[in-house]
Amino acid sequence: MRIDAYEDPGTPDRRGGWRYLAWLVRRQWPRCLAGAVLASVWMVLLAATPYLMARAVDHGLEPGDMSALAVWTGAMVAVGGVNAWLGVMRHRTMTKVRMDANFRTVKVVVGHATRLGAALRGQVGTGEVVTIGVGDVQTISTSLTAVGPGVGAIVAYAAVGGLMLSVSTRLALVVLLGVPVLGLLLGPLMGRLQGREAEYRERQSVLTARIGDLAGGLRVLNGLGGKGLVADAFHRDSGRLREQGYRVGAVTSWIQALGVGLPMLFLALVTWLGARQAAQGHISVGELVSVYGYVVALGWPVAFLIEMGHQLSRGVVAARRVVAFLRLEPAPDEGTRDAPAEPSVLHDPASGVRITPGCLTALVTTHPSDATDILDRLARYTPSNATWGDIPLTDIPLPQIRSRILIADPEADLFAGTLSTVIGAQEMPARGAGNCATSHTAPADAQPPTGADELAHLTQAIHAAAAEDIIRALPDGLKTPVAAQARDLSGGQRQRIRLARALLTDPEILLAAEPTSALDAHTEATVADRLKQARRGRTTVLAATSPLLLARADVVHHLVDGKVAATGTHRELLDTEPGYRALVARDDEGAEDTEGAEEGAPAR
């Protein structure tokens, strides 16, 4: 059976960890059934070898019947050959079970993350997602490999018990009662392992998120002198995680030790009882040999049963974490009213910000989070009373908002691929240009761009973001492969690539937070001029404190404590608002010096 990495994974059972594991089994039940049958036959034939050996001793070797000895010996050789083939097929089948569970879980997790979209970050931390993707998926898939051998172990255990009945009822009872006793002894440890494992995974996800935060903010920490303080805190947290890992390891080591030691004691007891019965003449020498062989053969099913319990205990913990993630839901979209057909004012009552259609508007605040909160409300990424025209955003279906309003996140993900793919070769039809008061959207019957138009729009977006030098510096230009998150580019280059991608979509309303913060003054001036020209006649909102951008804005809102304190042009606010002047004028000389900078100025 082939594993199709692109097929529909199905709808997972989100009612609990055990139910999710059962769903994974049901989704590939023919393969799991094949693994169980192969494992059962394999283990039963392991027990058949002692039976054949006993017959060879009792009917061939002891009476000196060489023909019978040859027959029984040949049967053992044949069984051994068949068993070797069955072992290979069993292992191959269970590997496919593991890989199917791995791919299927990855697909449902990634698919659900995609459905959550922007709601993902607000409901679960990055570390949780990483821990699920790196650790929990692997644990779940590994636990399913116990399904086939686990069923086979039960079948083989019953078969050995039946064979032992033909030798001695007492020995058969000892064998059949032995595993339940082992289960009673190991059961509490399995429950304890689940608790310790769950706590360990939780702390691991928190620490993983912190690693990501540290990696992203290392330069800032160095600049603020906080590297040592954060390093000490991380050292303490990682130490706690290590101690928790030791606790998990302690329980695991006891399970493994008892899983090896107790079966050996149990099997030693069976061997001792068999030897006593042989000495007393209750069983023959051949039957004693078979008892010893049965005892050896029992080692496999007993070991698999203990391993199955161990793996399933860990797997259900991981499955519960996956289920908890799959239960997350985005905010309900109950919008029933159409968005305004014509460009209309965006209004955020919480801050007092009003966005005039077709204008370049800037939001200036001491706390960047206040501005990003406003952008999130204006794009309906967070609940609010914001309106578009006279219609509350919450009354408009979300797809209509997403198709016309775009937030250009300065930390937006950049996927691996060629540079043209990273920027995005599929863009929306260009919307008509005008002036601040007469912007308009594309007509309803607008045709999608042709290949030539597509290339032209791509070139325009790259030019507007002042990213031509990036293309020229790469060996294959737009066809050059770029790593995930564009780690092989500088911070300023990544920022311009993100801006070019946002401009390429040519949205009716573009909301951007600090789109030039990583650029030098000359490149920032170039981007400011080209951005204003590229977005002429379309609504653009920038959250920024750079005078280079503010000087080119049509309207500037100065916010204090998240509310509009003053509105005007950059020059008007500099002349009339001391608080605004104190916030932005420290770089104003640089703005004056670079107002006339050439568009081809050196880029960072």
Side-chain angles (χ1 to χ4, degrees), residues 10 17 159 244 258 308 346 411 428 478 509 561:
Q244 184 64 28
L258 293 176
M308 180 179 67
L346 270 177
E411 298 299 326
M428 297 168 60
L478 287 170
I509 300 175
D561 295 328

Side-chain angles (χ1 to χ4, degrees), residues 211-437:
I211 292 173
D213 294 340
L214 288 176
L218 194 57
R219 292 183 179 178
V220 177
L221 289 173
N222 281 332
L224 298 175
K227 182 179 178 180
L229 181 64
V230 175
D232 291 340
F234 183 80
H235 179 73
R236 289 193 299 270
D237 291 340
S238 61
R240 295 190 189 100
L241 180 64
R242 183 182 62 247
E243 293 299 324
Q244 184 64 28
Y246 287 156
R247 296 189 185 97
V248 174
V251 178
T252 301
S253 63
W254 273 108
I255 291 175
Q256 292 177 343
L258 293 176
V260 174
L262 290 178
M264 290 300 101
L265 292 176
F266 161 65
L267 299 178
L269 174 63
V270 175
T271 304
W272 179 74
L273 291 174
R276 281 180 55 86
Q277 291 193 341
Q280 294 171 358
H282 297 306
I283 60 176
S284 66
V285 175
E287 288 174 329
L288 176 61
V289 172
S290 67
V291 167
Y292 179 76
Y294 295 149
V295 168
V296 173
L298 275 177
W300 285 100
V302 171
F304 272 123
L305 286 173
I306 294 174
E307 180 67 13
M308 180 179 67
H310 179 213
Q311 292 295 344
L312 289 178
S313 295
R314 301 183 69 236
V316 74
V317 172
R320 286 169 182 162
R321 292 169 56 81
V322 170
V323 165
F325 177 78
L326 296 178
R327 286 174 177 170
L328 300 177
E329 295 292 342
D333 181 14
E334 300 176 349
T336 57
R337 302 174 63 182
D338 288 335
E342 298 296 328
S344 303
V345 172
L346 270 177
H347 179 220
D348 176 37
S351 63
V353 168
R354 299 182 68 86
I355 307 301
T356 304
C359 291
L360 175 59
T361 304
L363 307 180
V364 180
T365 177
T366 306
H367 304 290
S369 60
D370 292 340
T372 54
D373 287 346
I374 293 172
L375 297 185
D376 285 343
R377 293 196 291 267
L378 291 176
R380 214 185 106 180
Y381 281 101
T382 55
S384 72
N385 295 319
T387 59
W388 192 0
D390 59 351
I391 305 173
L393 282 176
T394 53
D395 290 351
I396 302 173
L398 197 57
Q400 293 189 28
I401 296 175
R402 294 289 177 264
S403 67
R404 297 173 62 182
I405 302 178
L406 172 69
I407 282 189
D409 188 339
E411 298 299 326
D413 291 324
L414 297 172
F415 298 102
T418 62
L419 184 59
S420 61
T421 304
V422 172
I423 297 176
Q426 296 180 355
E427 64 280 349
M428 297 168 60
R431 304 187 190 279
N435 54 41
C436 186

Side-chain angles (χ1 to χ4, degrees), residues 19 58 65 105 123 158 203 243 303 307 369 385 485 487:
R19 290 181 181 272
D58 287 343
D65 188 344
T105 301
Q123 298 191 52
R203 290 191 177 184
E243 293 299 324
E307 180 67 13
S369 60
N385 295 319
Q485 302 301 344
R487 294 186 181 92

Side-chain angles (χ1 to χ4, degrees), residues 10 13 18 56 58 63 127 146 204 207 215-216 330 333 335 338 476 494 555 584 587 589:
D13 193 328
W18 288 111
D58 287 343
Q204 186 182 40
L207 198 62
D333 181 14
D338 288 335
D476 296 317
R494 287 195 295 270
V555 179
V584 303
D587 295 324
E589 291 183 5

Side-chain angles (χ1 to χ4, degrees), residues 430-495:
R431 304 187 190 279
N435 54 41
C436 186
T438 61
S439 64
H440 59 279
T441 61
D445 59 350
Q447 297 299 314
T450 63
D453 291 338
E454 200 171 295
L455 179 59
H457 293 160
L458 179 61
T459 302
Q460 292 168 6
I462 292 172
H463 175 77
E468 300 100 328
D469 63 303
I470 303 175
I471 312 301
R472 290 193 297 267
L474 296 174
D476 296 317
L478 287 170
K479 295 182 180 180
T480 303
V482 176
Q485 302 301 344
R487 294 186 181 92
D488 41 2
L489 301 179
S490 70
Q493 290 173 330
R494 287 195 295 270
Q495 192 166 54

Side-chain angles (χ1 to χ4, degrees), residues 144-219:
L144 285 198
T145 60
V147 173
V151 173
I154 295 173
V155 173
Y157 192 75
V160 171
L163 290 172
M164 293 286 280
L165 279 173
S166 64
V167 177
S168 168
T169 303
R170 180 185 298 177
L171 292 176
L173 290 176
V174 171
V175 169
L176 294 176
L177 294 177
V179 168
V181 172
L182 292 178
L184 291 175
L185 293 174
L186 293 175
L189 286 175
M190 298 294 185
R192 191 174 182 183
L193 175 64
Q194 288 188 30
R196 293 282 174 84
E197 184 87 13
E199 185 178 352
Y200 176 78
R201 293 289 185 182
E202 185 68 28
R203 290 191 177 184
Q204 186 182 40
S205 66
V206 172
L207 198 62
T208 302
R210 190 161 299 172
I211 292 173
D213 294 340
L214 288 176
L218 194 57
R219 292 183 179 178

